[in-house]
Amino acid sequence: MRALVALALLTAGATSTALAGEQKWELEFVGGAVFPSSGNAGDVDLPPPNSTLSGPFPSAARIVSSWYFGDGASQLNQAIASQLALFRVTPSIVPLDAVLQSRFATRRPGPTFGLRVSRVLTPRFSAEFTFESVSDELALESSSITGLEASRLSFANAWNGFFPGPASPDQSVSSVATVDDNRGRQLATTGALVINLATGRRLTPYAAVGAGVVASGDENPTAQLVGRYHYTLPPLPAPIPVPTLVVDETDTVSVRTAFDNEFAFVIGAGVKYSMNARFSLRLDVRDLIYGDSQRTELDATPSTVPNPNSGLISGTVPRISFGSSPLVRSTLSGGAISSFETFRATGTIHQIHATGGLILRF
């Protein structure tokens, strides 16, 4: 009887071994966490100053596409500083330059889920294909949030104190910020050669090396600033009659984070634990190494409500002008700016994937 039982166990073991040897494919459901890291190095730029002046009069300002950054903020602050000689104290505007010329948002650790398909080549080597959906959201840098708010608030304060002459009964200045934060995800598609460091064991350590592509979506953090000032200059009576002049301009700026899809190298290691001929468990750690392609992009759209009258020219240096007639061109009349790259990262991303999975062999 004992001989029959022993024979049965040996037969079952041989069948299981044969079955395991015949199973060349593995399907694995993967889940875990991703831990990205990056530096702060990058190339920076701002839109160059425009050479066109807003009028033929002395000290005319160059036309600009926005007051929030670059040459627009610089000229406005120069004009405000020149008012001090007239004992007018007007707060200056805080430029967005520091926000634009830096990493606007940073990836945070997050969950990852995916599917892995493996083909056993030999007892020592396997080829793998992995597809992961990575929810490593981007969050605005604290410096970006602080800079946006400082610029938003200073725009309103600066223009409320800027306009010369009699107070306008309907003067209004607004500056509104809209922020979409904590957004973005990635898709990681990689292939790897798995090298078993031991064979014929229930617990099998291994190393992995490969390559793939990390694709970033378009739904990343953005911020928009919309500044508007409305000012009415009352009419002047004879002998030099001046009709009512209405100044109404809107300054819209958008900032966003963008990425390119990147080729990635993969290195990693892990361990498999065989539960039976069909199922195994796996613990795996891999580093996806790729170039940091993060960009900060800028849009700017100025607009002026048409006014048939000649316009208004400030007494500052440089002279800021407002109007849309042939005689006076508004300083805020530069062309629209679209997708201007103000920051491009130059470092390397190390994205650590720590995952576990259940393997089905067939």
Side-chain angles (χ1 to χ4, degrees):
M1 183 66 179
R2 290 181 179 179
L4 291 174
V5 171
L7 180 61
L9 290 174
L10 288 172
T11 302
T15 302
S16 175
T17 302
L19 182 60
E22 294 172 357
Q23 294 163 348
K24 300 296 185 181
W25 290 95
E26 296 180 346
L27 179 65
E28 180 183 0
F29 298 95
V30 176
V34 169
F35 304 91
S37 65
S38 61
N40 293 316
D43 298 325
V44 300
D45 198 5
L46 284 174
N50 201 311
S51 60
T52 304
L53 300 178
S54 55
F57 38 86
S59 302
R62 294 177 296 273
I63 63 171
V64 300
S65 298
S66 174
W67 302 114
Y68 279 111
F69 63 85
D71 191 48
S74 176
Q75 289 194 93
L76 178 58
N77 283 339
Q78 291 176 41
I80 289 172
S82 73
Q83 289 180 332
L84 297 179
L86 303 175
F87 303 102
R88 299 188 61 200
V89 179
T90 300
S92 61
I93 191 168
V94 178
L96 275 176
D97 297 9
V99 174
L100 297 175
Q101 295 182 303
S102 64
R103 191 181 297 273
F104 189 54
T106 301
R107 289 201 182 276
R108 301 290 189 252
T112 181
F113 300 96
L115 190 67
R116 181 174 289 144
V117 178
S118 305
R119 168 68 176 176
V120 177
L121 304 176
T122 70
R124 181 72 66 180
F125 299 102
S126 296
E128 288 186 348
F129 174 83
T130 305
F131 177 84
E132 291 181 76
S133 177
V134 185
S135 299
D136 50 349
E137 291 184 337
L138 288 147
L140 289 185
E141 294 276 7
S142 59
S143 57
S144 297
I145 296 173
T146 301
L148 286 166
E149 179 59 18
S151 193
R152 182 200 69 80
L153 184 61
S154 67
F155 182 99
N157 291 335
W159 283 109
N160 266 322
F162 181 85
F163 290 107
S168 169
D170 63 344
Q171 177 177 324
S172 65
V173 179
S174 62
S175 183
V176 179
T178 304
V179 177
D180 287 326
D181 199 2
N182 299 307
R183 308 177 69 194
R185 61 188 306 160
Q186 293 177 304
L187 296 177
T189 306
T190 59
L193 178 66
V194 175
I195 307 166
N196 293 326
L197 305 180
T199 60
R201 298 181 182 179
R202 187 177 291 270
L203 191 65
T204 305
Y206 64 87
V209 60
V213 175
V214 177
S216 299
D218 296 329
E219 295 184 358
N220 300 315
T222 63
Q224 185 181 72
L225 291 175
V226 180
R228 178 177 178 263
Y229 43 80
H230 179 92
Y231 178 84
T232 300
L233 183 67
L236 297 179
I240 308 177
V242 176
T244 300
L245 173 67
V246 178
V247 173
D248 196 332
E249 298 187 329
T250 302
D251 184 351
T252 303
V253 170
S254 296
V255 188
R256 61 180 169 274
T257 285
F259 296 85
D260 297 326
N261 296 337
E262 288 292 327
F263 176 83
F265 293 100
V266 180
I267 58 173
V271 62
K272 294 180 182 180
Y273 177 75
S274 178
M275 297 186 292
N276 54 46
R278 288 287 185 186
F279 295 98
S280 294
L281 297 175
R282 184 207 297 253
L283 293 177
D284 185 276
V285 177
R286 302 193 185 190
D287 186 5
L288 275 61
I289 307 168
Y290 56 95
D292 189 351
S293 65
Q294 183 170 349
R295 308 186 305 277
T296 300
E297 292 184 344
L298 168 70
D299 296 339
T301 308
S303 65
T304 299
V305 175
N307 188 345
N309 297 324
S310 60
L312 173 66
I313 303 170
S314 74
T316 61
V317 179
R319 300 189 188 280
I320 307 298
S321 60
F322 311 87
S324 57
S325 73
L327 296 178
V328 177
R329 179 178 183 180
S330 174
T331 305
L332 187 67
S333 62
I337 296 173
S338 179
S339 300
F340 188 93
E341 188 177 293
T342 59
F343 173 85
R344 176 177 280 272
T346 57
T348 299
I349 298 289
H350 286 270
Q351 192 176 84
I352 305 298
H353 292 229
T355 61
L358 175 65
I359 299 173
L360 169 65
R361 288 190 291 272
F362 58 95

